[in-house]
Amino acid sequence: MSVKDISKVPQHVAIIMDGNGRWAQQRHLPRNMGHVKGASGVRVLVERCAELGIECLTLFAFSTENWRRPDDEVSTLMGLFVHYLEKELRGLSDAGVRLKVIGDVARFKPELRQKIEAAQSVTENNTRITLCVAANYGGRWDVVEAIKRWQAVNPGESVADLTEAALSGHLSTAGLPDVDLLVRTGGEQRISNFLLWQCAYSELYFTQTHWPDFDAEELVKALGWYARRTRRFGMTSEQTKEFAG
Ligand code: IPE
Ligand code: IPE
Ligand code: MG
């Protein structure tokens, strides 16, 4: 499938980057090597998404549940994140990438928090594509935080007045479109507490390919699959045709 076959390009693609450990185990390598290989492919994919006209790419890098992993694996993942921010930032910024980190960063070490802040501010005026990295992110955390923030800015109001639109504006993804296409690599078919609210109407694409093998060709395959979906948003097929013009 070539790029010209992709007639409908999603605005927002989100990816659960899974299968690093199994990729490594299949090669008799330590799990951490899977994470290293997985992180090394991100830059090319981001640039490919930008070329294809995707406005936002959100990557699940570390979940609120991933703290349950062995200490050395958690350290490797944190180290890779720091390394990524140091080594890839310049290239990403030159390519017009705006970096946004979503998740509870308060739990990270000050060094990492400071690098996240710097990376976000250096790239904040870039407009070609938004790369949203979900780190210590949980979909349930996001919704609860949004409610707290709404209450903080509306101290006198009752939650009875809370609307979907108001809540969306306080999620970590405020200002970004809802997810059109959710991709999960690694063969599992679950959400694992990713963008629960934002994926309410996403198309779901599951592939057996492990994340370190998910290259630009695999991305184009997923986008080709997406282009063949009919999104109905609750309407009938007939209505959907009219809606799409
Ligand atoms: C995804 O790969 C990376 C993170 C969760 C950070 P995994 O490490 O979950 O790989 P598998 O699922 O064990 O193969
Ligand atoms: C989801 O993968 C989290 C990330 C990709 C960061 P996991 O490998 O942690 O998910 P489960 O535990 O298999 O559901
Ligand atoms: Mg996994």
Side-chain angles (χ1 to χ4, degrees):
M1 164 113 23
S2 77
V3 174
K4 66 178 173 354
D5 296 321
I6 302 172
S7 49
K8 285 187 286 179
V9 175
Q11 281 186 293
H12 188 169
V13 176
I15 308 184
I16 301 175
M17 310 184 288
D18 197 19
N20 292 350
R22 279 163 290 158
W23 180 92
Q25 276 157 359
Q26 283 169 1
R27 286 158 183 78
H28 308 288
L29 296 168
R31 290 177 56 83
N32 287 342
M33 292 306 294
H35 297 314
V36 171
K37 177 76 166 64
S40 71
V42 166
R43 161 99 177 274
V44 168
L45 283 178
V46 178
E47 291 192 4
R48 196 77 185 105
C49 284
E51 281 164 16
L52 291 165
I54 291 163
E55 287 169 30
C56 180
L57 174 67
T58 299
L59 299 177
F60 204 5
F62 193 87
S63 75
T64 47
E65 290 73 33
N66 287 145
W67 295 105
R68 296 175 185 155
R69 295 195 179 200
D71 289 349
D72 86 297
E73 185 163 337
V74 171
S75 305
T76 298
L77 289 165
M78 294 299 149
L80 271 173
F81 197 13
V82 172
H83 179 83
Y84 198 83
L85 290 173
E86 281 170 354
K87 301 285 173 226
E88 304 276 7
L89 185 64
R90 182 75 194 270
L92 289 170
S93 188
D94 288 350
V97 178
R98 177 172 78 114
L99 187 88
K100 185 175 164 66
V101 174
I102 58 169
D104 188 5
V105 295
R107 184 145 176 208
F108 293 149
K109 292 205 170 111
E111 184 208 9
L112 178 52
R113 289 212 306 266
Q114 185 262 321
K115 284 194 195 311
I116 289 170
E117 278 300 316
Q120 291 187 138
S121 79
V122 163
T123 62
E124 70 185 345
N125 295 319
N126 291 344
T127 54
R128 194 154 168 249
I129 186 169
T130 299
L131 171 62
C132 194
V133 178
N136 196 20
Y137 179 87
R140 290 179 173 179
W141 166 85
D142 202 0
V143 172
V144 170
E145 281 302 302
I147 295 167
K148 289 183 190 165
R149 275 197 284 267
W150 177 85
Q151 186 71 92
V153 296
N154 299 287
E157 290 198 40
S158 152
V159 282
D161 300 320
L162 182 56
T163 61
E164 290 186 10
L167 187 69
S168 291
H170 291 286
L171 289 167
S172 61
T173 49
L176 301 176
D178 274 350
V179 175
D180 299 299
L181 170 63
L182 175 69
V183 173
R184 181 168 188 145
T185 63
E188 309 298 348
Q189 302 194 357
R190 54 179 174 251
I191 304 280
S192 299
N193 198 16
F194 195 25
L195 299 157
L196 300 176
W197 177 284
Q198 300 86 340
C199 286
Y201 253 108
S202 307
E203 300 296 322
L204 309 177
Y205 179 86
F206 299 104
T207 172
Q208 294 294 325
T209 304
H210 293 315
W211 176 248
D213 287 331
F214 192 87
D215 56 11
E217 204 178 309
E218 293 282 335
L219 173 75
V220 169
K221 218 194 274 178
L223 295 173
W225 175 88
Y226 173 84
R228 294 192 298 277
R229 301 296 101 206
T230 304
R231 304 186 75 191
R232 285 191 276 279
F233 298 101
M235 295 181 283
T236 64
S237 302
E238 282 307 306
Q239 287 174 306
T240 313
K241 273 183 222 143
E242 281 168 36
F243 191 67

